[in-house]
Amino acid sequence: MCNPYLKSKTQVGFSSFGSAHVLDFVLRAVRPALDAAWCQKWLVHRRIRPEEFGGRIHHKLTGDANYPIHPVVLNSNALSKTYEKYKTYLLPQAFAEACPTHPEYPSGHATFIGAMVTMLKAFFNESFVITDPVVASSDGLSLESYDGTLTVGGELNKLAYNIAIGRNTAGVHFRSSAINGMLLGEEVAIGILRDYQTTYNEEFEGFKLTKFDGTKITI
């Protein structure tokens, strides 16, 4: 945790290292992260969505077109189960409006949540143990005590992964887009923190955080 005011008996953080600072930096990371994602989407990769890829699979298996698709995909159990239920090889979608029309890689949601969570890690004690955690009951109607240890860092990582991977579950992204989007957002946030690190008048040891790959860094 980087706050230089934690040990002060006379001052607290406000415009720097206070709540306004934290909220500003968490939101400050969003647009640059999305800019980075859209640069990769349009100017580098332009990768099709799972829905479009499902269309290619469908047309290949029905003989309407011929695409170079790996046999592992064409022979997967998921395809046979999809056809058994829907009478089509098209990829089912969670959204009625189907997938977005811009390129797939990387995930914009994964990129901006990766950046936001990285900012939160920089300001808060990741090893702090959450007291008396609870989880939803199996029927979802009540809360039950959680038998285990939850930390701020662990919960922030789960938040990032849930938002990123949730887009895969919906059928609009591949797993690589979620994981690499988070890493791209993380780098954007680290870059912002690095730019600001030398601007503070307080005695400041730097921002300390744990990256998604487990590496501990000080900025």
Side-chain angles (χ1 to χ4, degrees):
M1 194 172 185
C2 69
N3 194 332
Y5 292 103
L6 289 180
K7 297 180 181 180
S8 175
K9 297 181 180 180
T10 58
Q11 298 181 71
V12 295
F14 187 54
S15 64
S16 59
F17 303 102
S19 58
H21 190 179
V22 177
L23 292 173
D24 173 47
F25 269 44
V26 171
L27 293 177
R28 185 179 294 265
V30 174
R31 185 186 169 192
L34 288 175
D35 285 345
W38 256 250
C39 174
Q40 295 295 317
K41 283 176 181 290
W42 286 107
L43 302 182
V44 181
H45 300 284
R46 286 182 285 183
R47 191 164 78 180
I48 63 173
R49 298 265 175 178
E51 185 179 30
E52 284 82 11
F53 188 55
R56 294 189 177 190
I57 292 172
H58 176 83
H59 289 305
K60 182 176 179 65
L61 291 177
T62 56
D64 295 329
N66 186 26
Y67 295 103
I69 299 173
H70 198 282
V72 170
V73 177
L74 297 177
N75 297 323
S76 70
N77 291 331
L79 281 180
S80 60
K81 291 181 178 179
T82 297
Y83 189 84
E84 180 181 345
K85 182 173 183 178
Y86 298 105
K87 305 307 178 186
T88 176
Y89 295 108
L90 298 174
L91 180 68
Q93 291 285 294
F95 301 112
E97 67 275 20
C99 71
T101 56
H102 51 265
E104 188 269 343
Y105 184 89
S107 163
H109 283 71
T111 306
F112 77 66
I113 194 58
M116 296 173 79
V117 161
T118 300
M119 285 297 188
L120 289 170
K121 289 180 183 179
F123 281 98
F124 292 97
N125 181 7
E126 296 177 72
S127 63
F128 182 85
V129 176
I130 299 171
T131 57
D132 301 321
V134 294
V135 294
S137 60
S138 58
D139 60 11
L141 299 178
S142 61
L143 294 176
E144 301 174 349
S145 296
Y146 176 76
D147 184 19
T149 301
L150 300 179
T151 64
V152 167
E155 292 304 287
L156 287 174
N157 284 336
K158 282 195 285 186
L159 172 65
Y161 277 96
N162 284 341
I163 290 176
I165 299 299
R167 301 286 285 172
N168 301 2
T169 306
V172 300
H173 276 296
F174 295 104
R175 184 174 183 271
S176 58
S177 291
I179 301 303
N180 291 322
M182 288 172 51
L183 297 179
L184 176 60
E186 180 180 67
E187 287 303 311
V188 170
I190 289 173
I192 295 172
L193 292 169
R194 186 177 294 119
D195 288 343
Y196 276 91
Q197 189 272 339
T198 58
T199 66
Y200 303 111
N201 190 52
E202 296 89 347
E203 292 185 7
F204 177 49
E205 297 178 356
F207 295 101
K208 299 179 180 180
L209 62 95
T210 306
K211 299 176 66 174
F212 290 121
D213 66 0
T215 303
K216 295 184 181 297
I217 64 171
T218 300
I219 304 169

